[in-house]
Amino acid sequence: MPASPSPAHILCVVGARPNFMKIAPIMRAFNAPGSGLSASLVHTGQHYDAAMKHAFFEQLHIPEPDVDLGVGSGSHAVQTAQIMLKFEPVLDQRQPAAVLVVGDVNSTIACALVAVKKGIPVIHVEAGLRSGDRSMPEEINRILTDQISDLLFTTEASAADNLQREGIAPEKVFFVGNVMIDTLRYNLADATPAAATLAAAGAAGEFAKGFGLLTLHRPSNVDDPAVLRRLLQELADISRQTPLVFPVHPRTRDRISAAGLDELLASANILLLPPQGYLEMLGLMREARLVLTDSGGIQEETTALGVPCITLRESTERPITVDEGTNTIVGTDPAAIRRAYTDIVNGGGKAGRQPQHWDGRAAERIAAVLADWCRSARAA
Ligand code: UD1
């Protein structure tokens, strides 16, 4: 019997918090016996705080990275350039069959760009999402990464249309579903009960009777003090009716202090928490009466959980969460936020349904397509 070929080596890249939940099921599927693939992991170090990184690796059982580039924070140019400089020798040394990147952060485009210029195929997971807003750094990262990718895996049907419009050959595109929802389904039974997280933070009482969950970190919402003040003022008003739990991203924490808004928050019924681990956040989301956010991933997670979501942005790159899920896009106008909030409190919000392929098996589909693709590439 001929010896079976050695598994194709795929170098997977993560950098920032939203990448970690996407890579966990991919590493598991690629490293499963018989997948025809073997995965190693590079962490760029874009997110480095224990709360932003270590808790996720441990809770999601992501293997320790084979390589940690240790890049850290900086301007977009500095951060992207440093990742590129440090990633290139890793490719020289490891010579993978392909490089896999996820999502839309600076690490995604930086590593994709280095790989494609060295003639190494690039695989993009969560391809084709478009907000239409080129002032978002993530939108630029998405468009450019998709243009230089050899295989593109999508989470929702709209993505294929976006890619076709941008001239990407349909045969490179595979609609496999959502790896972040793989992670959600895999971990839901282990989510930390909200009561435990609230008790650990010294809060019980009225928060235990029902709360809303708030996250904010987009530059467009937190970098301009006037926008941040307007948002927090309305959220403070809402908190007097529905107490809010607010895990604060490091960038937002700095901006709140710099804008002199600590007192406004202290006078509201808003529980400030440090960035939460994955299981704690999952428990908070699942049990919240509603979620207010500017995150991309949380729009999808709330749809999967059936929890009403108010998105504090003017657009979304994830329209399925609005069309089929529980999401409502309101922007930052206080009256619009209030209207959406009142609709949810009075009417319960959109019920939503599960989008196609958000079934916990996206990573398995990716592994199957990729193994076939690697076999054909070897045979050619
Ligand atoms: C990045 C992603 C964004 C993602 C978000 C999730 C890009 C362009 N943006 O934005 O898409 O939704 O991560 O968190 O890649 N900081 C720390 N500790 C850390 C990481 C960051 O203190 O571990 C602080 C630093 O002050 C840093 C700031 O947060 O300057 C912003 O971090 P950065 O990674 O540049 O971008 P994010 O805003 O987190």
Side-chain angles (χ1 to χ4, degrees):
M1 211 170 86
S4 51
S6 57
H9 172 213
I10 311 297
L11 192 63
C12 300
V13 175
V14 290
R17 185 171 60 179
N19 293 164
F20 302 144
M21 36 285 220
K22 292 170 194 162
I23 214 69
I26 292 175
M27 296 296 288
R28 210 163 36 244
F30 287 12
N31 286 331
S35 74
L37 303 168
S38 78
S40 57
L41 186 62
V42 173
H43 177 39
T44 64
Q46 178 174 344
H47 283 176
Y48 45 91
D49 278 0
M52 302 292 280
K53 185 221 155 193
H54 298 292
F56 289 82
F57 272 68
E58 278 164 30
Q59 291 185 340
L60 301 177
H61 305 290
I62 303 169
E64 266 307 296
D66 299 276
V67 183
D68 192 335
L69 304 181
V71 165
S73 300
S75 70
H76 283 258
V78 166
Q79 192 174 59
T80 308
Q82 285 194 349
I83 295 168
M84 291 179 71
L85 281 172
K86 293 192 169 180
F87 188 56
E88 182 164 42
V90 176
L91 288 185
D92 290 337
Q93 192 198 354
R94 296 190 172 244
Q95 305 273 331
V99 167
L100 179 145
V101 294
V102 296
D104 55 16
V105 301
N106 288 340
S107 303
T108 309
I109 178 62
C111 294
L113 191 50
V114 176
V116 73
K117 292 217 174 172
K118 294 181 90 65
I120 299 173
V122 174
I123 301 153
H124 187 203
V125 173
E126 200 188 85
L129 297 180
R130 296 290 181 269
S131 67
D133 174 2
R134 288 198 179 206
S135 69
M136 287 177 73
E138 294 82 5
E139 183 77 348
I140 306 300
N141 294 342
R142 291 181 199 117
I143 293 169
L144 297 181
T145 304
D146 286 338
Q147 281 296 328
I148 57 177
S149 291
D150 296 88
L151 260 185
L152 300 95
F153 291 111
T154 61
T155 53
E156 59 170 89
S158 70
D161 302 336
N162 295 332
L163 293 170
Q164 195 164 16
R165 225 181 359 260
E166 293 172 15
I168 290 167
E171 56 271 20
K172 291 186 189 173
V173 180
F174 293 84
F175 176 28
V176 289
N178 194 323
V179 286
M180 214 180 52
I181 305 305
D182 289 7
T183 292
L184 182 146
R185 302 211 181 289
Y186 191 81
N187 289 287
L188 196 53
D190 295 327
T192 308
T197 303
L198 295 172
E206 51 191 311
F207 284 89
K209 289 188 219 122
F211 63 89
L213 180 66
L214 169 65
T215 82
L216 275 181
H217 76 282
R218 292 267 151 231
S220 58
N221 281 342
V222 305
D223 285 4
D224 178 341
V227 174
L228 185 57
R229 174 181 294 277
R230 189 173 75 214
L231 269 173
L232 290 181
Q233 185 65 63
E234 179 57 29
L235 294 162
D237 286 348
I238 286 176
S239 78
R240 294 187 183 98
Q241 212 176 321
T242 304
L244 295 180
V245 176
F246 183 14
V248 190
H249 187 287
R251 130 185 236 119
T252 309
R253 182 194 59 213
D254 294 348
R255 298 295 193 270
I256 288 171
S257 296
L261 295 170
D262 290 305
E263 270 182 38
L264 169 64
L265 280 179
S267 67
N269 204 359
I270 300 181
L271 176 67
L272 302 180
L273 298 178
Q276 294 295 295
Y278 182 77
L279 297 175
E280 290 79 6
M281 198 63 190
L282 191 52
L284 288 170
M285 266 189 287
R286 180 177 60 182
E287 291 169 53
R289 291 177 63 187
L290 77 159
V291 175
L292 297 129
T293 191
D294 60 8
S295 154
I298 291 175
Q299 295 172 51
E300 297 184 333
E301 289 167 331
T302 45
T303 277
L305 292 167
V307 173
C309 179
I310 297 176
T311 295
L312 306 169
R313 287 172 43 188
E314 305 297 337
S315 60
T316 182
E317 60 286 337
R318 295 161 158 92
I320 195 120
T321 61
V322 176
D323 298 341
E324 295 186 15
T326 58
N327 193 14
T328 307
I329 307 292
V330 300
T332 59
D333 170 33
I337 299 171
R338 171 62 64 163
R339 258 196 313 278
Y341 165 75
T342 308
D343 281 352
I344 290 170
V345 171
N346 292 341
K350 294 157 86 170
R353 62 172 189 264
Q354 291 304 312
Q356 188 186 1
H357 287 335
W358 290 23
D359 57 358
R361 307 194 57 189
E364 288 171 34
R365 292 187 196 103
I366 291 172
V369 171
L370 184 53
D372 266 0
W373 188 81
C374 290
R375 268 193 293 276
S376 317
R378 273 177 177 170

